[in-house]
Amino acid sequence: MLHIESHYHGTQVPSARLTLPFELRQKSRLRCQLDDGEEAGLVLERGTVLRGGDLLLASDGRVVQVIAAAEGLSVVATDDALLLARAAYHLGNRHVPLQIRAGMLCFLHDHVLDDMLRGLGLPVRFEMLPFEPEGGAYGRHDAAQSGHDHSHDHGHGTAHGHH
């Protein structure tokens, strides 16, 4: 099995590809398969979140390029900045990872959230796209360094210490 233990920052052209959905790109320890079917084991620094385009160094010297897999996403697009901000607020209040672009929000498809956004007056469409959400609580900086894990479940009717 091929071992992959670090990011690569050199100029060598990648000779292998590793396509993963966002859920698996958040794992620092993972048994997986390269796109050609070769077995690989990822052992990266805890808290690492892989992004599409990242380059990794394998134990045999090969450079492996990370590809963000196409996933079922809910896509909201509007020119109404206030309405888009309201949508981002409501989704953020539910700790939903968001990909944010000019005039657009994307999140892993969820029909309940789609209905909530339609209730706010936003059009929601389903698309198969690579998912690259904002770092925030899902990247190393907030989760690992602050020690605050956003995977917990709590009611939002009371104050709970988020600042």
Side-chain angles (χ1 to χ4, degrees), residues 74-145:
S74 294
V75 179
V76 177
T78 181
D79 291 331
D80 186 332
L82 180 59
L83 196 51
L84 202 62
R86 288 182 68 211
Y89 169 81
H90 286 288
L91 291 167
N93 201 33
R94 288 162 178 78
H95 300 276
V96 175
L98 286 177
Q99 181 172 328
I100 302 172
R101 300 289 181 258
M104 184 175 73
L105 300 173
C106 300
F107 54 94
L108 292 173
H109 179 67
D110 181 311
H111 68 89
V112 172
L113 296 175
D114 292 353
D115 289 345
M116 176 191 73
L117 295 175
R118 286 186 186 105
L120 293 173
L122 286 158
V124 182
R125 66 183 186 269
F126 176 85
E127 291 191 33
M128 292 296 294
L129 298 168
F131 185 48
E132 293 284 3
E134 293 294 310
Y138 304 95
R140 180 167 190 261
H141 175 72
D142 288 352
Q145 291 181 358

Side-chain angles (χ1 to χ4, degrees), residues 48 60 130 140 148:
T48 298
D60 66 358
R140 180 167 190 261
H148 187 79

Side-chain angles (χ1 to χ4, degrees), residues 8-28:
Y8 176 73
H9 302 289
T11 58
Q12 184 177 330
V13 175
S15 60
R17 294 169 34 131
L18 176 62
T19 302
L20 297 171
F22 179 65
E23 176 184 1
L24 296 180
R25 287 184 284 125
Q26 297 178 77
K27 297 183 181 295
S28 55

